[in-house]
């Protein structure tokens, strides 16, 4: 039996309870978690914005140590440090075949399986494949990647979602070029990763936008050259900071119609907007046909940073070891498992950067 954070039903409060994990069968790995990040996607799962089978153990951003492996697992062994990969590519679907592994059609099939049971026998699903909000988890072998050398596992947990997403949004989706101006909407965990990645890409002006004045110091530490408090006049403020033109690139990390529209309005003619934030299917964003022609801007969705974890983790590890990317500065609070509900409340209120559950 291990302690875990369980979502009993959509919209219900999380329950911190004991669950019974099975031994790892063929092609499975058991991992003792070192840490798990509290991501906005976990909140989206709990409130129904994103749908997964329930009841479920949430948590998808984590790292830990292999405890046991099932038959056929050869790339890791007990004692190895690993990063959890919540969206493993199958290697055989159409999208994997064309090299767009972040769109794998089968990435989340594991979320429908039975992961564990409560003490009374209730069957539990793994929220996004890996069920990281628990002392230990059992996952498919392709959901674990060897942790990079020289990086503490508690920090490496952030590589499982926020950092790959933010880095990929800059380098793979928006493809920021040296000298370009970048505006980042939403300075949570992913937004902080975007700021650092824009700095690595050589952006000349990096503007952070958030509703909270308290995040300015954190944003500047991550690489922001300017800070704007979000309002109805944000696009105008961005134009004033960019010689009247607007930013070359806007990266939206909130997932709300107003910020998506504001990100589009904040870019220059011919500029590029990448949407990382996840909104609801009933939340609509409107554009008129003439402005699409006149402004010549592009608007792009972004899944998991358009990243291939096997390719990108080694690159990120080099940036981290060289001091160009700071994982620890992204963490504004470290909590125990029972602190997750309060961390959700802080996300709703727009407080802090990344909260880390440390086991």
């Amino acid at each position: 039996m291990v302690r875990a954070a369980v979502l009993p039903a959509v919209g219900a409060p999380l329950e911190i309870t004991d669950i019974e994990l099975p031994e790892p069968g063929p092609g499975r790995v058991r991992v003792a978690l070192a840490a798990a990040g509290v991501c906005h996607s976990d909140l989206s799962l709990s409130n129904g914005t994103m749908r997964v089978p329930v009841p479920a153990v949430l948590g998808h951003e984590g790292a830990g140590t292999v405890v046991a492996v099932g038959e056929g697992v050869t790339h890791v062994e007990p004692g190895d440090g690993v990063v959890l990969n919540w969206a493993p590519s199958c290697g055989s679907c159409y999208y994997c075949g064309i090299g767009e592994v972040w769109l794998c059609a089968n990435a989340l099939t594991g979320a429908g399986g039975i992961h564990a049971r409560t003490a009374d026998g209730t069957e539990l699903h793994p929220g996004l494949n890996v069920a990281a909000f628990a002392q230990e988890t059992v996952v498919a072998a392709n959901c674990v990647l060897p942790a990079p050398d020289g990086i503490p596992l508690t920090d490496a947990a952030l590589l499982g979602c926020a950092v790959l997403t933010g880095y990929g949004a800059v380098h793979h989706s928006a493809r920021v070029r040296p000298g370009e101006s970048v505006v980042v909407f939403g300075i949570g965990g992913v937004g902080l990763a975007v700021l650092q990645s824009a700095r690595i890409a050589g952006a000349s002006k990096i503007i952070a936008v958030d509703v909270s004045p308290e995040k300015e110091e954190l944003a500047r530490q991550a690489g922001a050259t300017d800070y704007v408090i979000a309002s109805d006049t944000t696009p105008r403020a961005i134009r004033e900071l960019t010689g009247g033109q607007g930013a070359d690139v806007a990266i939206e990390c909130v997932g709300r119609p107003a910020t998506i529209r504001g990100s589009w309005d904040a870019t220059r003619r011919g500029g590029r907007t990448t949407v990382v934030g996840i909104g609801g299917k009933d939340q609509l964003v409107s554009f008129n046909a003439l402005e699409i022609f006149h402004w010549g801007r592009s608007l792009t969705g972004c899944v998991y940073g358009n990243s291939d974890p096997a390719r990108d983790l080694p690159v990120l590890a080099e940036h981290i070891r060289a001091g160009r990317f700071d994982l620890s500065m992204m963490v504004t609070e470290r909590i125990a498992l029972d602190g997750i509900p309060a961390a959700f409340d802080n996300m709703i209120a727009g407080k802090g950067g990344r909260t880390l559950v440390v086991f």
Side-chain angles (χ1 to χ4, degrees):
M1 302 290 282
V2 300
R3 298 289 283 173
V6 173
L7 177 69
V10 173
L14 287 182
E15 297 176 356
I16 311 302
T17 187
D18 290 329
I19 65 170
E20 184 177 357
L21 285 173
E23 291 302 314
R28 310 280 290 177
V29 179
R30 184 164 181 148
V31 178
L33 272 296
V38 183
C39 179
H40 204 280
S41 295
D42 298 308
L43 179 62
S44 295
L45 293 172
S46 72
N47 65 24
T49 299
M50 296 170 63
R51 292 283 184 175
V52 293
V54 290
V57 179
L58 297 187
H60 64 280
E61 178 184 88
T65 303
V66 174
V67 174
V69 300
E71 182 183 352
V73 177
T74 58
H75 72 297
V76 294
E77 60 185 26
D80 286 351
V82 293
V83 175
L84 298 180
N85 177 15
W86 64 270
S89 56
C90 69
S92 59
C93 72
Y94 169 80
Y95 299 102
C96 289
I98 61 173
E100 297 179 0
V101 297
W102 54 92
L103 298 178
C104 175
N106 301 309
L108 292 178
T109 54
I114 304 304
H115 172 70
R117 287 176 171 79
T118 62
D120 65 4
T122 301
E123 294 179 336
L124 302 173
H125 302 281
L128 281 178
N129 281 327
V130 297
F133 286 167
Q135 293 170 318
E136 295 187 11
T137 187
V138 175
V139 299
N142 62 353
C143 286
V144 296
L145 296 166
D149 293 336
I151 299 172
L153 286 176
T154 48
D155 288 346
L158 302 180
L159 295 171
C161 184
V163 175
L164 275 172
T165 299
Y167 179 85
V170 169
H171 291 271
H172 304 320
S173 181
R175 298 183 180 181
V176 175
R177 298 183 289 264
E180 289 191 312
S181 56
V182 177
V183 57
V184 182
F185 284 74
I187 311 304
V190 173
L192 290 170
V194 171
L195 290 173
Q196 295 199 69
S197 300
R199 180 176 59 189
I200 290 170
S204 59
K205 183 175 282 290
I206 305 172
I207 307 165
V209 178
D210 198 275
V211 296
S212 172
E214 288 75 23
K215 291 185 181 181
E216 180 172 359
E217 182 178 350
L218 191 65
R220 290 186 181 277
Q221 186 180 347
T225 59
D226 300 270
Y227 193 82
V228 174
I229 304 300
S231 71
D232 293 341
T233 62
T234 296
R236 183 186 308 164
I238 303 306
R239 287 193 291 274
E240 290 174 354
L241 288 169
T242 53
Q245 297 301 315
D248 295 302
V249 173
I251 299 181
E252 198 273 357
C253 305
V254 182
R256 294 177 183 165
T259 50
I260 294 172
R261 177 71 218 203
S263 298
W264 165 274
D265 290 337
T267 58
R268 65 169 174 81
R269 198 174 188 189
R272 313 186 298 283
T273 298
T274 288
V275 178
V276 177
I278 301 172
K281 64 181 180 180
D282 58 340
Q283 296 176 307
L284 304 181
V285 185
S286 297
F287 305 89
N288 68 58
L290 179 60
E291 70 175 310
I292 292 174
F293 160 76
H294 172 76
W295 288 103
R297 297 165 172 152
S298 61
L299 180 68
T300 307
C302 179
V303 178
Y304 203 5
N306 294 7
S307 292
D308 178 350
R311 174 198 64 198
D312 293 330
L313 276 183
V315 176
L316 275 164
E318 284 302 313
H319 287 307
I320 294 164
R321 287 191 288 261
R324 292 185 291 269
F325 198 109
D326 186 349
L327 293 174
S328 61
M329 68 77 52
M330 297 170 58
V331 180
T332 52
E333 188 174 15
R334 297 174 188 266
I335 61 172
L337 197 62
D338 58 6
I340 296 175
F344 278 11
D345 291 339
N346 286 337
M347 278 195 293
I348 294 170
K351 296 179 180 178
R354 199 45 135 215
T355 296
L356 200 62
V357 182
V358 179
F359 295 94

